[in-house]
């Protein structure tokens, strides 16, 4: 598994592959149902972002401030990691699929014509 204990940041895609292998080795539900459950995990993570934002802003008067903006950042990171692992579950070429899609989004969003 990639780590940053020596001060070197972990390689994103190698770490995603490591996490994917770890999940694949011990998944209680496999095949299509396992894939769908892994995709649903994204909704859970997005819900945790919402909970953290509500907690950081004190929007629940019964609970008050229960989270920090650091918590929101961490939850957003969990969403990104989960999404990348799901993409890796769908295709072993996740790195290339993501790079192509990012280039398309950047091209249409950052082009000089907009």
């Amino acid at each position: 598994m990639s780590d940053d204990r020596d001060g070197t940041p972990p390689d994103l895609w190698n770490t995603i592959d490591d996490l994917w292998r770890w999940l694949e080795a011990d998944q209680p539900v496999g095949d299509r149902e396992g894939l769908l459950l892994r995709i649903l995990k994204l909704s859970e993570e997005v819900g945790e972002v919402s909970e953290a934002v509500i907690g950081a802003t004190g929007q629940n008067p019964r609970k008050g401030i229960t989270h920090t903006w650091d918590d929101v950042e961490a939850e957003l990171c969990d969403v990104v990691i989960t999404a990348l692992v799901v993409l890796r579950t769908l295709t072993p070429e996740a790195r290339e699929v993501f790079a192509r899609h990012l280039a398309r989004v950047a091209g249409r969003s950052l082009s000089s014509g907009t």
Side-chain angles (χ1 to χ4, degrees):
M1 169 114 174
S2 306
D3 70 40
D4 59 354
R5 286 179 280 182
D6 66 354
T8 305
D11 175 75
L12 173 69
W13 287 106
N14 287 338
T15 303
I16 294 300
D17 284 342
D18 290 344
L19 291 168
W20 173 78
R21 277 191 289 280
W22 172 71
L23 288 169
E24 288 292 305
D26 190 29
Q27 61 177 349
V29 178
D31 300 322
R32 184 175 178 89
E33 186 178 0
L35 170 63
L36 295 175
L37 290 169
R38 197 166 287 173
I39 292 170
L40 286 176
K41 178 72 173 159
L42 277 169
S43 294
E44 177 190 2
E45 296 297 345
V46 169
E48 290 175 10
V49 171
S50 299
E51 180 181 8
V53 169
I54 289 167
T57 58
Q59 290 303 300
N60 183 336
R62 186 174 53 82
K63 293 182 179 179
I65 294 178
T66 58
H67 292 74
T68 67
W69 288 103
D70 288 344
D71 295 326
V72 175
E73 290 173 3
E75 296 299 346
L76 285 169
C77 289
D78 287 348
V79 169
V80 172
I81 292 165
T82 301
L84 292 176
V85 169
V86 171
L87 182 59
R88 173 60 185 88
T89 302
L90 287 171
T91 177
E93 286 83 33
R95 183 183 315 224
E96 295 80 10
V97 169
F98 184 77
R100 282 193 307 270
H101 188 75
L102 181 60
R104 279 195 300 272
V105 169
R108 73 174 179 247
S109 301
L110 304 175
S111 67
S112 59
T114 59

